[in-house]
Amino acid sequence: MVGTYRVLADVGFDGLTTQRVADAADCSQSLVHYHYDTKEDLVVAFLEWVREAEGDYLEGLGEGSAEDRLRAFVDLQLSIPRDDEHGWFNVAFLELQTAAARNDRYRDALREFTSMVDDVLVAVIEDGVETGEFRDVDPRATARFLRYALHGAVGATLTLHEDATEAVRAPVEAYLEGVVLAETD
Amino acid sequence: MVGTYRVLADVGFDGLTTQRVADAADCSQSLVHYHYDTKEDLVVAFLEWVREAEGDYLEGLGEGSAEDRLRAFVDLQLSIPRDDEHGWFNVAFLELQTAAARNDRYRDALREFTSMVDDVLVAVIEDGVETGEFRDVDPRATARFLRYALHGAVGATLTLHEDATEAVRAPVEAYLEGVVLAETD
DNA sequence: GTCTATACGCCGATAGAC
DNA sequence: GTCTATCGGCGTATAGAC
């Protein structure tokens, strides 16, 4: 699994081969097939393995107020670096998502990621609405809109090298203030 | 070029091979290489070819007021169908975008698409700001935020089969009313 | 321009020894 | 569990005839 992560970061999902995973794990290619019958099995197992780490990652939102946690989420998304191993792995993760369009098993596995994110966001927004920090927005719809916007920005940064993660900060702020956060004036 | 389009829609960028393009164009594989030295050349030429069609596509925004044209853009993006040839081609286009992360030539070609979209959107928003239909928002930042949000939603619909294009309509409307459109009350 | 034939490599997966 | 060896297939690209 660790080897798979490195290979994905190195050469992308497109370049993921059982031989490269074997090299990264310092074993023979056939041993990879001994543990995972097919390459598809390997990938699905990897996605389940990495999902647990993702859970911890989302814990990084901390405690604080609903507004703090929402802002922490935005920062977390927009702070994905472009040139280190983590960034390159995220590129591979985007490749995997497009592969999911034609592969049911990948799609099911990846949907659990997005629903995990949504659940966290929905909880934060519901909390904010209840305490009066936020306006009376639809938590689920707002969560998904925010997820899509940030995902789109991160994708453009990682793949097209747009300066999206910076450029989008102000508009996101405008959205939060104009639609989500309770008016303070 | 037409054959390439069909192949991409059929089997995706991952499944794009010179042999399949040859089959779709009803010629031999070597003839493809006669016209395009490498597969990469073929893809770059294809992207330039398809960009012209994209220009016409964006003309579909029509005339109308700035608000009408902005809404037309949103509808245009959110009405991409998931199961016809056009939808599958868009999936392949997403694959191509992720490939751009590791390929300079693809990246340059694709950036021209996004800057084309941005230019159209910026013009609409500038117009709206001038006429007073819109508030005094930053046209470029607003355009990109909107592009990212819609792109994220379309991507999730096409790849993960989320019902994003529907779910996002209300939040987008809330964004337009709460941030972009001039207050009418 | 268009073809057939082919070189050459890498892929996923399996067989079989240890 | 782990290895080496190997099969069959498909990928890009090229050579050379017409």
Side-chain angles (χ1 to χ4, degrees):
Chain A
M1 294 293 101
V2 174
T4 303
Y5 178 91
R6 291 220 190 91
V7 172
L8 283 174
D10 261 14
V11 294
F13 179 62
D14 178 61
L16 181 76
T17 68
T18 52
Q19 182 59 61
R20 286 207 175 98
V21 172
D23 291 346
D26 211 37
C27 70
S28 69
Q29 183 232 9
S30 64
L31 188 59
V32 175
H33 278 289
Y34 173 80
H35 286 292
Y36 308 96
D37 279 0
T38 68
K39 180 182 164 179
E40 197 182 8
D41 287 344
L42 168 73
V43 172
V44 171
F46 174 75
L47 285 175
E48 286 175 19
W49 178 77
V50 90
R51 197 174 58 225
E52 292 165 28
E54 183 76 3
D56 302 340
Y57 185 71
L58 283 172
E59 298 295 320
L61 295 190
E63 306 285 308
S65 66
E67 180 177 346
D68 286 346
R69 280 178 289 159
L70 194 60
R71 284 221 156 80
F73 174 80
V74 171
D75 286 341
L76 207 61
Q77 295 283 310
L78 297 186
S79 64
I80 289 180
R82 197 171 66 68
D83 253 334
D84 68 349
E85 193 179 44
H86 184 221
W88 283 112
F89 170 72
N90 270 85
V91 170
F93 206 79
L94 288 175
E95 292 183 84
L96 238 156
Q97 182 173 330
T98 62
R102 300 178 192 266
N103 184 309
D104 295 350
R105 298 177 68 197
Y106 296 167
R107 191 184 318 126
D108 290 342
L110 286 170
R111 294 243 268 180
E112 299 201 40
F113 279 83
T114 60
S115 72
M116 237 175 61
V117 173
D118 279 351
D119 287 348
V120 169
L121 267 180
V122 165
V124 170
I125 297 173
E126 276 177 347
D127 192 25
V129 171
E130 271 173 36
T131 64
E133 283 180 85
F134 297 170
R135 298 179 214 186
D136 189 24
V137 295
D138 177 344
R140 190 134 239 126
T142 305
R144 289 177 62 180
F145 178 68
L146 210 50
R147 171 160 66 82
Y148 295 142
L150 295 174
H151 188 267
V154 171
T157 300
L158 291 177
T159 62
L160 303 184
H161 297 185
E162 295 189 7
D163 62 335
T165 49
E166 282 314 309
V168 100
R169 285 205 129 91
V172 166
E173 182 62 29
Y175 169 69
L176 292 180
E177 284 177 11
V179 177
V180 179
L181 300 177
E183 284 148 308
T184 53
D185 49 346
Chain B
M1 295 293 100
V2 174
T4 304
Y5 178 91
R6 291 220 191 91
V7 172
L8 284 173
D10 260 15
V11 295
F13 180 62
D14 178 60
L16 181 76
T17 67
T18 52
Q19 181 60 61
R20 286 208 175 97
V21 172
D23 292 346
D26 211 38
C27 70
S28 69
Q29 183 235 7
S30 63
L31 188 58
V32 176
H33 277 289
Y34 173 79
H35 286 292
Y36 309 96
D37 280 1
T38 69
K39 180 181 166 180
E40 198 183 8
D41 287 343
L42 169 72
V43 172
V44 171
F46 174 75
L47 285 175
E48 286 175 18
W49 178 77
V50 90
R51 197 174 58 224
E52 291 165 29
E54 182 76 2
D56 302 341
Y57 185 71
L58 284 173
E59 300 295 321
L61 294 190
E63 305 287 307
S65 66
E67 179 177 346
D68 286 346
R69 279 177 290 159
L70 193 59
R71 284 218 156 84
F73 175 79
V74 171
D75 285 342
L76 206 62
Q77 295 283 310
L78 296 186
S79 64
I80 288 180
R82 195 169 67 67
D83 253 334
D84 68 350
E85 193 179 45
H86 185 220
W88 283 113
F89 170 71
N90 271 86
V91 170
F93 206 79
L94 288 174
E95 292 183 84
L96 238 157
Q97 182 173 330
T98 62
R102 299 178 193 268
N103 183 309
D104 295 350
R105 298 177 68 198
Y106 296 166
R107 191 184 319 126
D108 290 342
L110 287 170
R111 295 243 270 180
E112 298 202 40
F113 279 83
T114 60
S115 72
M116 236 174 59
V117 173
D118 279 351
D119 287 347
V120 169
L121 267 179
V122 165
V124 170
I125 297 172
E126 276 177 347
D127 192 26
V129 171
E130 271 174 35
T131 65
E133 284 180 84
F134 297 170
R135 299 180 214 187
D136 189 25
V137 295
D138 178 344
R140 190 133 238 127
T142 305
R144 289 177 62 176
F145 178 68
L146 210 50
R147 170 161 67 82
Y148 294 143
L150 296 174
H151 187 268
V154 171
T157 300
L158 291 176
T159 62
L160 302 183
H161 297 185
E162 295 189 6
D163 62 335
T165 49
E166 282 314 309
V168 99
R169 286 203 128 92
V172 167
E173 182 62 29
Y175 169 68
L176 292 180
E177 284 176 12
V179 178
V180 179
L181 300 177
E183 283 149 308
T184 53
D185 48 347

